[in-house]
Amino acid sequence: MGGLLPSGLQAWLSTVLACPHSSSCRLFFPEDPIKIVRGQGQYMYDEQGEEYIDCINNVAHVGHCHPLVVQAAHEQNQVLNTNSRYLHDNIVDFAQRLSETLPETLCVFYFLNSGSEANDLALRLARQYTGHWDVVVLEHAYHGHLSSLIDISPYKFRDLDGQKEWVHVAPLPDTYRGLYREDHPNPAEAYAGEVKRVVSSAQAQGRQIAAFFAESLPSVGGQIIPPAGYFPEVAKHIHKAGGVFVADEIQVGFGRVGKHFWAFQLQGEDFIPDIVTMGKSIGNGHPVACVATTQAVARAFEATGVEYFNTFGGNPVSCAVGLAVLNVLEKEQLQAHAAHVGSFLMELLRQQKAKHPIIGDIRGVGLFIGVDLIKDEATRTPATKEADYLVSRLKENHILLSTDGPGRNVLKFKPPMCFSLDNVQRVVAKLDAILTDMEEKLRSCETLRSQPCGSPTKPCPSLAAAQPGYPGEPFLFLPTLPHQRPE
């Protein structure tokens, strides 16, 4: 077996054969998985010592294995790690530092271990405060893996038990593919109007709204940037219905957007959510999460008389790690770095859009960027297979990138915040080279359109041969891309 399979695939198969395995647990690049053994900064290393640029990992926020974060965890681990029922400086200091980044009204903090725990608690807080039960969410949203959160995540429940009667889904505020696009005079108001319509429909059925949940920048939905002014208008409708606004910052908080520390701040200085949830980047890979809310919401939760206790939420080690992450962000000026590097990446990607017709849209802010690949400029049909092929080719060139969105056609850039200008140039150069190669192969098939091998049921031989890792399954790259844009 060792002589026939790539080492990464061999290691994966060995694991599968050695212990029980569920197909519901998936790997990146399943046709040729990588065995990663080390990470440093924005780089990951496989068992052969090969270096990969990590464009995926927004969890390792300040960089894989940042020495100051590792040191903070190690030093506190040597002294004490216990639950939060004892007095300890770390949890107080961490809450104080977080409060300095948020509006004054968000001054009560609950510490947990994961983003899913944070969103689950936010749901409990909202229901207790409002006395209502129902939730409004955005189409294709994902808020966590707990049962309570699967129920408010269309991305998941569409394929499971379906939509519960207490869940109400509003259109994703997508100005590229959605109901109201870039040519609409006021997409923020129009999309907020859709939320108002959903709320009114629910109320007509006797339902009462507890909360509106939204990622400040929808990620699974395809790296969506809601139009400015959308959240404030939505909040008006939700508050009028007696609900609260929950901003899920788990994927995009802590300076990733560059312009601001929190992505919800992109919606204007006057917009303040009632609850903010944090996870992933807060601990740079250590299991830390947090819910920030107002005194009023916290007091309503206290009124139940039921203690809220999370065994390791807010433990001394986790808080030491969280403080270290904040220290690194400040010391290395990573928020400003994200703005600078992200702007450069957007500029180079826009140049690629002008050159390659498969690129339909470039959207993003800071180091949260999506590249929407299309089959046709008029219909904006998602180029799903092409996106998958492109990501596979990038991996061969030691660049790790993934796709998302309803059509799995959006290349998503969410690298560690130390991602550099040199990294940007290298990644975009490889992207350009691969797209150019794809287009050349496509042109070589143009003359075969009228022949059987160029038909929709038979892929072009040159493209089939180009797809790695699929023996016996040629890559179905259909010649349906739009023609090259004129210079």
Side-chain angles (χ1 to χ4, degrees):
M1 181 180 292
L4 298 176
L5 295 173
S7 60
L9 183 56
Q10 180 179 331
W12 177 70
L13 286 175
S14 298
T15 302
V16 171
L17 294 173
C19 64
H21 176 74
S22 170
S23 60
S24 63
C25 301
R26 298 175 183 175
L27 297 167
F28 283 128
F29 317 107
E31 75 283 356
D32 184 22
I34 312 170
K35 183 178 179 181
I36 295 296
V37 298
R38 185 168 69 89
Q40 192 67 50
Q42 66 272 46
Y43 302 103
M44 301 180 81
Y45 301 86
D46 69 13
E47 59 185 330
Q48 305 300 324
E50 294 290 329
E51 180 182 270
Y52 295 81
I53 298 178
D54 183 4
C55 300
I56 296 174
N57 211 317
N58 61 328
V59 178
H61 191 58
V62 299
H64 292 280
C65 303
H66 193 288
L68 295 183
V69 178
V70 172
Q71 180 183 1
H74 176 62
E75 290 180 355
Q76 184 58 52
N77 252 322
Q78 289 182 307
V79 179
L80 173 71
N81 198 23
T82 187
N83 63 56
S84 58
R85 280 187 167 140
Y86 303 96
L87 297 175
H88 199 280
D89 288 343
N90 285 6
I91 190 169
V92 177
D93 293 343
F94 192 25
Q96 178 61 39
R97 288 287 299 279
L98 286 172
S99 72
E100 293 168 4
T101 70
L102 288 161
E104 288 184 11
T105 54
L106 296 169
C107 58
V108 180
F109 299 86
Y110 299 87
F111 291 102
L112 315 94
N113 306 296
S114 72
S116 288
E117 285 189 2
N119 278 337
D120 178 73
L121 177 58
L123 182 58
R124 289 178 60 190
L125 290 169
R127 285 172 168 166
Q128 180 61 31
Y129 176 68
T130 64
H132 301 168
W133 191 259
D134 289 26
V135 178
V136 179
V137 294
L138 296 176
E139 185 60 76
H140 215 70
Y142 175 64
H143 293 289
H145 63 82
L146 300 180
S147 295
S148 61
L149 305 176
I150 294 295
D151 285 344
I152 64 169
S153 298
Y155 170 70
K156 291 291 186 181
F157 72 58
R158 297 290 189 209
D159 296 322
L160 294 171
D161 297 331
Q163 185 173 336
K164 299 292 193 298
E165 63 178 2
W166 52 269
V167 177
H168 312 280
V169 181
L172 191 66
D174 180 356
T175 57
Y176 182 67
R177 295 183 175 281
L179 291 174
Y180 310 106
R181 300 189 173 184
E182 64 272 15
D183 57 350
H184 193 280
N186 193 341
E189 186 174 301
Y191 276 116
E194 290 296 318
V195 175
K196 180 181 180 181
R197 180 187 59 78
V198 168
V199 170
S200 297
S201 176
Q203 291 175 324
Q205 301 171 49
R207 312 298 306 188
Q208 293 181 305
I209 305 300
F212 173 84
F213 267 75
E215 287 184 278
S216 297
L217 299 176
S219 179
V220 172
Q223 307 291 93
I224 303 301
I225 311 298
Y230 170 67
F231 281 178
E233 287 298 312
V234 169
K236 290 177 184 177
H237 301 315
I238 295 300
H239 289 156
K240 186 177 181 181
V244 296
F245 192 110
V246 181
D248 180 340
E249 290 272 337
I250 292 166
Q251 295 259 25
V252 294
F254 292 87
R256 175 160 295 278
V257 300
K259 296 178 181 179
H260 302 282
F261 198 80
W262 302 106
F264 72 77
Q265 293 169 322
L266 293 166
Q267 292 287 317
E269 293 182 3
D270 296 334
F271 171 68
I272 301 176
D274 301 291
I275 301 173
V276 174
T277 58
M278 315 166 200
K280 295 188 187 297
S281 54
I282 189 175
N284 209 57
H286 185 89
V288 189
C290 181
V291 175
T293 190
T294 64
Q295 286 281 5
V297 172
R299 281 196 296 268
F301 195 53
E302 293 164 8
T304 63
V306 177
E307 175 193 24
Y308 177 75
F309 176 64
N310 187 309
T311 302
F312 273 94
N315 69 74
V317 171
S318 292
C319 290
V321 167
L323 282 164
V325 171
L326 293 177
N327 288 338
V328 172
L329 284 168
E330 183 177 335
K331 179 181 178 180
E332 300 183 7
Q333 300 180 0
L334 291 180
Q335 182 180 328
H337 179 80
H340 179 54
V341 175
S343 293
F344 183 55
L345 177 54
M346 288 283 285
E347 178 186 344
L348 295 194
L349 288 172
R350 288 190 185 106
Q351 293 174 12
Q352 295 302 307
K353 181 178 182 294
K355 182 178 181 181
H356 301 290
I358 193 175
I359 299 177
D361 189 38
I362 306 293
R363 52 184 177 262
V365 59
L367 286 175
F368 179 89
I369 295 172
V371 180
D372 198 313
L373 303 185
I374 58 172
K375 284 180 173 289
D376 180 82
E377 192 168 12
T379 63
R380 301 182 179 182
T381 304
T384 304
K385 291 183 180 293
E386 292 83 347
D388 184 60
Y389 173 73
L390 181 56
V391 165
S392 180
R393 287 284 304 275
L394 285 169
K395 191 262 288 185
E396 290 179 358
N397 285 275
H398 292 180
I399 295 167
L400 305 181
L401 193 64
S402 61
T403 61
D404 227 325
R408 303 295 303 179
N409 66 303
V410 180
L411 306 179
K412 58 178 183 178
F413 287 86
K414 295 184 295 183
M417 296 275 278
C418 48
F419 199 68
S420 71
L421 296 175
D422 286 343
N423 295 147
V424 168
Q425 290 178 313
R426 178 180 166 190
V427 169
V428 176
K430 290 295 183 183
L431 182 70
D432 180 26
I434 295 168
L435 289 176
T436 299
D437 180 62
M438 290 167 65
E439 289 162 356
E440 288 175 353
K441 287 181 170 63
L442 180 58
R443 281 191 289 271
S444 74
C445 287
E446 291 292 330
T447 57
L448 301 176
R449 279 184 180 274
S450 61
Q451 301 177 27
C453 69
S455 70
T457 57
K458 292 186 178 182
C460 170
S462 62
L463 289 167
Q467 174 67 348
Y470 290 97
E473 290 188 37
F475 180 53
L476 190 64
F477 189 111
L478 301 180
T480 54
L481 291 178
H483 291 293
Q484 182 74 30
R485 294 190 180 101
E487 297 297 332

